[in-house]
């Protein structure tokens, strides 16, 4: 029975790094190739040695698909393609292809800077990896090879994020990556066809949560920034170069405009221009509002937000600074944090998740005395705020997507086991489909029942219509023919054509049956009696008595002999071809009843 | 363990064992185990546990929980395993039967928690960690745990199954090596009890009718023969060889890949390499019976062996070369075929059928090509490959893939139909082609080869990835062609090929696809690097449009391309402006314009890659003595560092420091000091510069303000490099330790400034903060002040401080313990958050 196999190497009952292997109709696809930011050694990458026990990765995997540019979805890609040795195709959307190297480069710099690590991918490797990437458009069906095709759908979440449909023949899987079912300030809501896949692999970060409106969080954020600036304090917002930073920039820019605020806003990294450039370039991927206003004014051309210079950190007076990296683990954001931490008028807003070991994690967990290098103790007096702006679908959104796609099975990834368990039950109850949640390293096998399309030869079709059966789309119709399975395709043809195509000669198969009847007369007289009897019963058939003493009814042949031991018993040998099987068995049954007395 | 940590640990243990607390982040638990592993390995005594009774209490309290969380239970199992790795601590834990309760039959094996893969994984890892002594072996073998390990070999989790298999290998080795008293024979009774159990399990599984049982045992044996090379493995092998042999005789060989892996690992073991007869006969039989795809890895492994019977090697070579041979045969007319293999050893029917099927053709070819590349990339190849035929076969494959040939044979036309536009095969074939260029003996086909390569370079159907590989192969073969031309003086052919290559390159440099433009520029740079001394090459290149187009790409919209264009232009300069005698006049642009253009990119390009490329090229020029007279060089360096010192990209600043380092080394070399005997000397610098003069040069070039500011750079590699350079300079100017007391130096006005600088650096390098509002009286261009600065400032202390990883505080165990404690009691609103 055909089956689809799914093995998460990452994101199986966790929110670490996504890397999911899917086998569908003999094709092997890797969905995402993420990195775990919480580790500094090999554990940050998925263990690729489990992909195949035999042979090379490139021979085993047909393609890698990256859903979006976040590092927990693409961070291991250069390692995989340039250091582990995968040399096959990689697919992602155009914005993801453009933005991915910026984030990878950003992360590489931090890693190399912080630890002087050498066993890490280089800039050249990132570039070589990106050269292997095939960029795809939304809703474009991309043929990976003759059998495997993929198609991207809009996922919201971040610029360029996509869900992917993977299809081989009539079997299909949809992988959501991270998605958001409600539009936000700069992106639209996720959308997918009612494509009824055999399996929907969906993220489940907020499996049990119904999230409050993002507007409230935004209002809260603006209020806090405003209050701090009003009292003359400085606001530090550590961000990654792309994604949330742009969203918050739009938010502050419009607020500043509306309130006519004068305090400067800075963006600290040289990457801003490039990042904003991409947001402008891929304006079609943003939400409708941004697209509409684009004609009058480009939302990403900020009036109030200026490039930051290191010297500005010491300037007196209020200001807001967006600085990289996002978890306060090195570089500029940490440098500014050190300068400003001691003043209670200042504030740091962490707009995203921080892994253990970073200063961001420490201050979020309430630590206020931090040991810095050289045994210095940094006392954190500034206010610390956490605001989640991550754009994932909540429980309602996930259910909505399932309703939209109508999958036959659902598989949950990228979430916590307990929450998944709850959502799994809910999905099974509401949609009556099976729902799976494999842990990392566990394989889920889903049996599919694919309807296999078969081409019918014109000759056969004509023959069927000739006997008066006009095809009707609404009525299923039984057709007889010979099924040819050749070169991965199926065709139904007439037996004659099949013989011809396969170069075979015809053999005729006859069924035979012996019927004993009691008749003391001579053989030729018995035959005559049989002939007369059949002629009387089978009026519409051609019944003939041949000179050699046998009888034919259509293709059925009847011969009579006397029983070797009992001359009063005659043995009728009845034989027929498979075409006249019905008539053959009718005749046998008729003769078994014996001959009428009167004749 | 530090005092601070031992104070924090009891609270951490209590928090972890408290079921009311939300379970800790998995990474915290992993890192905690890393720390315990380090502690346990450094001291095998029970001190760790006696000093920290909270560890035992933690295990006890987790065992007492009615339903511990899977992650905490898994953590506890692994922790207990790490602690029990030494016999002393094992006994300490066993005083309360903790290990039996954790790992024994009555432990968690039957609870519902066992269904969680992380618990099973923790159990296996825990057992593996403690498996270093007989006590642990006995606990498992007599406590029933070993049967569980057998079962776990077939676990639904790949991680658990693989860990269980590795554990059994480890246990078997430990048991034999620590418990054997008599020499081992195939007889059962001589083996230690635990080893006997495992071997019986292997034997039973091999005889089982279940395919997965057989596969598991084969995997176990593969792991064993891969890791253990002791003599007893041969005794073990004798007991199972017949059974393994029987698998190969079956019509459809079961677990063929695992079987091939097993034999491969054995061929590498010294135990079997001298075995007469039977083992190698089995290997030969495997090579014969397995399909070419299954036998491929085994064949290539054998061909890497230096010591191996000749007939086995021939058989392996046959497996590997048969597909290539088949390709040649399929493309040739019957009479002209000069194949790769002797017909007496070749049995092409299977290979032919695989190659003529769409589903298996590309797989077999890709695998074969990958294996050939693997062999060809070895410096010393134990076998001789028929290079010319191999090259012919590769050319044929590439022609099939591009639809260049129409073979007349039915097999040929089937294969060519399958291979048309097959990128996978194209990529693999081009890789082998590049590797083959290193081997001598296939020069007769060079013209045909370049026909194919040029066709690939020209074809619009060539995908960017294939094109990149074609460029790579072309550059390798062009280098080879140059060597040949030198030896046989056939320049005409070379010139023609070069001309064609540059014509194609011109087109590719204008491709709408950035990947193609970038690969083209990289190709050009590689060519210049390896062929710049050849007149024919220079002439062909400079008479083409390539240099002009390359300069145009300095303004490409894609930053990767701009960076590659900078590198290519920088290398072009070596054969134009900087060449002692340029073969042709080259008027497109003059040197000053190019330098000004690159300088402009360095100061204005919005992105880091082109700027990094410029500073690297400048350094390269300086190294090669291309930057003109001394004053010109000083100006050149000075201008570059003033541009990069405020660059936002730390790698550009680092590149600036590299430039400074080269400049300093070259200048100091003129002092006649034996500092850099190998450094190329700029022709411009006059010999024997006095020491003072070189210091003045450095001051004039404004090196010191850049170096001292870099000491406080917020990006550590920059500060480290600056410190290294300053230390080297001090070594040059103060060869004997003449460090002055900064207090004493304060008397002079310069000394006052330097004392300030020293204070600033001490704080600055820690706070990563160099004052931006001036240098408080320090004159970085005054040689005397700088001499004083070098002698006064404690650069060693700075160096040590900077060399500490910048997250050494954050990744310390104390920080980890604090982080775990800090999350206790907090409602983890953001626990499932991510990016």
């Amino acid at each position: 029975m055909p089956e689809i196999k799914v093995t998460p190497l990452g994101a199986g009952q966790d929110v670490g790094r996504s890397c999911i292997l899917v086998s569908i109709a003999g094709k092997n696809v890797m969905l995402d190739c993420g990195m775990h930011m919480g580790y500094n050694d090999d554990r940050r990458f998925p263990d690729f040695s489990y992909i195949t026990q035999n042979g090379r990765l490139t021979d085993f995997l047909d393609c890698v698909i990256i859903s979006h540019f976040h590092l927990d979805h693409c961070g291991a890609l250069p390692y995989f393609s340039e250091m582990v040795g995968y040399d096959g195709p990689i697919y992602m959307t155009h914005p993801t292809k453009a933005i991915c190297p910026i984030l990878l480069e950003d992360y590489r710099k931090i890693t190399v800077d912080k630890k002087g690590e050498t066993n890490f991918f280089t800039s050249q490797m990132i570039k070589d990896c990106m050269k292997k990437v095939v960029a795809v458009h939304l809703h474009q069906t991309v043929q990976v090879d003759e059998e495997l095709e993929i198609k991207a759908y809009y996922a919201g979440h971040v610029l360029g994020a996509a869900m992917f449909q993977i299809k081989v023949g009539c079997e299909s899987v949809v992988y959501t990556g991270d998605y958001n079912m409600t539009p936000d300030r700069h992106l639209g809501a996720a959308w997918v066809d009612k494509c009824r896949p055999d399996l929907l692999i969906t993220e489940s970060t907020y499996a049990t949560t119904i999230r409050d409106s993002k507007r409230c969080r935004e209002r809260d954020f603006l209020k806090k920034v405003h209050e701090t600036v009003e009292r003359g304090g400085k606001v530090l917002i550590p961000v990654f170069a792309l994604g949330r930073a742009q969203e918050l920039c739009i938010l502050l820019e419009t607020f500043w405009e509306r309130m006519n605020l004068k305090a400067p806003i800075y963006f600290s990294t040289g990457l801003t221009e490039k990042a904003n450039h991409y947001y402008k370039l891929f304006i079609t991927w943003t939400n409708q509002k941004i697209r509409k206003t684009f004609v009058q004014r480009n939302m990403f051309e900020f009036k109030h937000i200026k490039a930051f210079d290191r010297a500005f950190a010491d300037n007196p007076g209020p200001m807001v600074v967006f600085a990289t990296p996002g978890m306060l683990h090195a570089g500029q954001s940490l440098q500014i944090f050190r300068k400003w931490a001691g003043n209670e008028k200042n504030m740091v807003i962490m707009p995203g998740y921080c892994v253990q070991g970073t200063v961001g994690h420490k201050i979020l967990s309430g630590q206020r005395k931090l040991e810095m290098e050289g045994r210095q103790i940094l006392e954190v007096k500034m206010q610390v705020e956490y605001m989640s702006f991550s754009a994932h679908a909540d429980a309602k959104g996930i259910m909505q997507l399932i309703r939209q796609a109508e999958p036959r099975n659902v598989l949950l990834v990228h979430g916590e086991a307990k929450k998944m368990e709850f959502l799994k039950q809910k999905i099974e109850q509401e949609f009556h489909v099976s729902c799976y949640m494999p842990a990392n390293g566990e394989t889920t096998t889903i049996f599919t029942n694919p309807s296999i399309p078969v081409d019918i030869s014109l000759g056969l079709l004509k023959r069927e219509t000739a006997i008066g059966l006009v095809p009707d789309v609404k009525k299923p119709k039984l057709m007889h023919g010979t099924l040819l399975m050749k070169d991965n395709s199926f065709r139904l043809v007439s037996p004659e054509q099949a013989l011809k195509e396969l170069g075979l000669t015809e053999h005729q198969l006859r069924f035979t049956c012996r019927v004993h009847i009691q008749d003391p007369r001579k053989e030729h007289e018995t035959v005559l009696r049989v002939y007369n009897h059949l002629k009387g019963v089978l009026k519409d058939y051609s019944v003939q008595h041949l000179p050699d003493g046998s009888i034919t009814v259509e293709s059925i042949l009847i011969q009579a002999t006397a029983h070797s031991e009992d001359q009063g018993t005659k043995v009728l040998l009845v034989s027929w071809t498979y075409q006249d099987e019905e008539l053959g068995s009718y005749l046998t049954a008729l003769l078994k009843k014996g001959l009428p007395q009167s004749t | 363990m530090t005092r601070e940590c031992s104070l924090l640990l009891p609270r951490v243990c209590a928090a972890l064992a408290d079921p009311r607390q939300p379970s800790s982040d998995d990474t915290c638990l992993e890192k905690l185990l890393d720390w315990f592993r380090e502690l346990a390995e450094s001291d095998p005594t029970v001190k760790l546990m006696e000093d920290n009774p909270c560890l035992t209490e933690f295990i006890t309290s987790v065992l007492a929980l009615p339903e511990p969380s899977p992650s905490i239970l898994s953590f506890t199992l692994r922790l207990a395993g790490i602690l029990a790795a030494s016999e002393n601590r094992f006994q300490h834990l066993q005083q309360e039967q903790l290990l039996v309760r954790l790992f024994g039959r009555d432990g968690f094996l039957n609870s519902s928690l066992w269904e969680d893969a992380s618990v099973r994984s923790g159990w296996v890892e825990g057992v593996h960690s403690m498996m270093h002594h007989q006590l642990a072996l006995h606990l498992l073998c007599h406590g029933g745990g070993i049967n569980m390990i057998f079962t776990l070999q077939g676990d639904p989790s790949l991680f658990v199954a693989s860990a269980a298999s590795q554990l059994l290998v480890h246990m078997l080795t430990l048991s034999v090596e620590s418990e054997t008293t008599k020499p081992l024979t195939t007889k059962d009774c001589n083996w230690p009890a635990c080893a006997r159990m495992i071997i019986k399990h292997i034997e039973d599984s091999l005889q089982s009718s279940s395919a997965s049982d057989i596969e598991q045992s084969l995997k176990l044996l593969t792991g064993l023969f891969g890791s253990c090379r002791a003599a007893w493995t041969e005794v073990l092998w004798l007991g199972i060889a017949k059974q393994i042999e029987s698998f190969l005789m079956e019509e459809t060989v079961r677990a063929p890949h695992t079987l091939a892996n097993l034999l491969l690992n054995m061929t590498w073991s010294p135990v079997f390499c001298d075995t007469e007869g039977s083992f190698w006969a089995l290997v030969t039989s495997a090579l014969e019976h397995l399909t070419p795809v299954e036998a491929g890895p085994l064949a290539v492994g054998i061909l890497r062996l230096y010591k191996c019977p000749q007939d086995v090697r021939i058989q392996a070579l046959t497996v590997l070369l048969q597909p290539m041979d088949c390709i040649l045969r399929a493309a040739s007319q019957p009479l002209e075929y000069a194949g790769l293999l002797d017909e007496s050893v070749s049995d092409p029917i299977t290979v032919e059928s695989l190659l003529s099927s769409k589903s298996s053709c590309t797989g077999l070819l890709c695998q074969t090509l990958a294996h050939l590349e693997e062999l060809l990339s070895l410096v010393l190849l134990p076998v001789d490959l028929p290079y010319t035929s191999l090259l012919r076969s590769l050319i044929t494959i590439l022609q099939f893939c591009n639809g260049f040939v129409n073979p007349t044979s039915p097999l040929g036309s089937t294969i060519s139909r399958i291979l048309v536009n097959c990128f996978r095969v194209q990529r693999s074939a081009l890789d082998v082609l590049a590797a083959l260029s290193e081997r001598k003996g296939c020069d007769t086909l060079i013209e045909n080869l370049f026909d194919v390569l040029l066709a690939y370079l020209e074809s619009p159907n060539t995908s960017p990835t294939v094109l990149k590989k074609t460029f790579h192969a072309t550059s390798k073969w062009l280098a080879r062609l140059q060597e040949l031309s030198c030896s046989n003086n056939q320049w005409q052919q070379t010139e023609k090929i070069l001309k064609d290559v540059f014509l194609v390159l011109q087109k590719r440099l204008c491709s709408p696809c950035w990947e193609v433009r970038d690969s083209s520029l990289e190709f050009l740079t590689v060519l210049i690097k390896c062929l710049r001394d050849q007149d024919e090459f220079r002439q062909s290149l400079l008479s083409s449009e390539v240099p002009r187009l390359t300069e145009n790409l300095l303004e490409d919209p894609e930053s990767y391309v701009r960076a590659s264009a900078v590198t290519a232009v920088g290398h072009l300069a070596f054969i134009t402006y900087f060449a002692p005698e340029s073969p042709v006049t080259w008027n497109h642009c003059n040197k000053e314009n190019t330098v000004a253009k690159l300088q402009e990119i360095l100061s204005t390009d919005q992105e880091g890659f082109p700027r990094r490329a410029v500073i690297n090229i400048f350094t390269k020029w300086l190294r090669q003595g291309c930057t003109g007279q001394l004053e010109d060089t000083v100006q050149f360096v000075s201008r570059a560092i003033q541009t990069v010192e405020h660059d936002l990209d730390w790698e550009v600043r680092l590149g600036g420091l590299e430039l400074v380092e080269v400049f300093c080394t070259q200048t100091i070399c003129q002092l006649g000091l034996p500092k850099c005997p190998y450094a190329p000397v700029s022709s411009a610098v006059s010999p024997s510069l006095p020491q003072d003069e070189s210091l003045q040069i450095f001051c004039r070039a404004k090196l010191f303000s850049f170096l001292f500011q870099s000491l406080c750079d917020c990006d550590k590699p920059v500060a480290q490099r600056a410190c290294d350079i300053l230390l080297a300079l001090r070594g040059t100017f103060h060869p004997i330790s003449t460090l002055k007391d900064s207090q004493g130096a304060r008397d002079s006005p310069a000394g006052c400034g330097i004392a300030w600088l020293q204070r600033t650096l001490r704080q600055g390098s820690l706070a990563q903060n160099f004052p931006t509002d001036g240098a408080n009286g320090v004159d970085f261009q005054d040689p005397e002040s700088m001499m004083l600065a070098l002698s006064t400032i404690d650069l060693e202390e700075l160096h040590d401080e900077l060399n500490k990883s910048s997250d050494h505080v954050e990744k310390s165990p104390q920080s980890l313990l604090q982080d775990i404690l800090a999350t206790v009691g907090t409602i983890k609103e953001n626990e499932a958050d991510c990016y």
Side-chain angles (χ1 to χ4, degrees), chain A residues 522-532 545 549-551 560:
Chain A
K522 292 215 159 112
E523 284 157 21
H524 70 269
E525 287 173 25
T526 311
V527 170
L528 202 60
R529 283 185 71 204
V530 171
Y531 171 69
N532 290 334
H545 188 191
S550 53
I551 304 165

Side-chain angles (χ1 to χ4, degrees), chain A residues 38 43 54 97 105 108 113 123-124 127 131 146 244 274 335 356-357 362 367 386 390 392 441, chain B residues 31 34 158 257 358 469 515 518 522 564 607 612 651 716 768 810 815 819 832-835:
Chain A
R43 284 174 288 187
N54 314 298
K97 181 174 180 181
E105 187 64 23
R108 185 194 68 80
D113 163 30
S123 285
Q124 181 69 35
K127 179 168 85 173
K131 281 188 183 175
E146 282 183 22
R244 209 148 301 149
K274 187 162 183 172
Q335 194 177 23
Q356 187 276 323
K362 283 180 188 294
Q367 298 180 59
Y386 172 77
S390 68
H392 294 272
Chain B
K31 288 175 193 170
D34 290 347
L158 293 175
H257 292 289
K358 203 171 181 179
K469 288 190 187 284
E515 293 89 341
D518 191 73
E522 287 182 332
S564 296
E607 295 184 45
R612 278 187 227 163
E651 283 175 81
K716 190 157 291 212
Q768 295 177 347
E810 288 154 32
S815 157
D819 283 358
D833 203 357
C834 58
Y835 314 105

